[in-house]
Amino acid sequence: QVQLVESGGGLVQPGGSLGLSCAASGRIFRINDMGWYRQAPGKQREMVALISGGDTNYEDSVKGRFTISRDNAKNTVYLEMNNLKPEDTAVYYCASEVRTSDWRLYRYWGQGTQVTVSS
């Protein structure tokens, strides 16, 4: 199997910055994409940022404020979040589409990390 372990998150004031990281490990043959999703209370989970190869994709409300990057050698994805707003408050989940060593294709999820933007 594959495990995604997230770190980062916490409490930050509006306008502040925060970084998240997520490392994938296990029976990985190839990682197709890695990304971040978030879910606020009472709302559906939404994609925040996704990186696949050299391509990145962002949810409209975070464009220009969030940056996703990836270290292929470490199977790790990062999310740098700047100019945070209260509406960014949510549980952030790492996700990755992985081709496993036994040739399964599956999207794996991390356990989630809380990001709270509040004064």
Side-chain angles (χ1 to χ4, degrees), residues 22-98:
C22 171
S25 63
R27 303 179 66 182
I28 298 169
F29 175 78
R30 183 181 62 240
I31 292 177
N32 290 339
D33 66 39
M34 298 188 83
W36 294 92
Y37 293 71
R38 67 186 179 187
Q39 188 167 18
K43 294 187 177 181
Q44 289 189 334
R45 188 174 298 188
E46 64 177 359
M47 187 275 291
V48 176
L50 197 67
I51 185 166
S52 177
D55 296 327
T56 57
N57 190 26
Y58 295 94
E59 195 270 330
D60 285 344
S61 70
V62 308
K63 287 180 180 177
R65 299 189 298 121
F66 291 11
T67 302
I68 189 170
S69 61
R70 178 176 162 182
D71 185 332
N72 292 328
K74 296 181 179 180
N75 289 336
T76 299
V77 65
Y78 305 93
L79 186 67
E80 178 183 348
M81 304 181 289
N82 297 313
N83 190 22
L84 282 158
K85 303 176 180 181
E87 51 264 41
D88 294 317
T89 296
V91 177
Y92 284 69
Y93 297 90
C94 174
S96 179
E97 184 181 90
V98 177

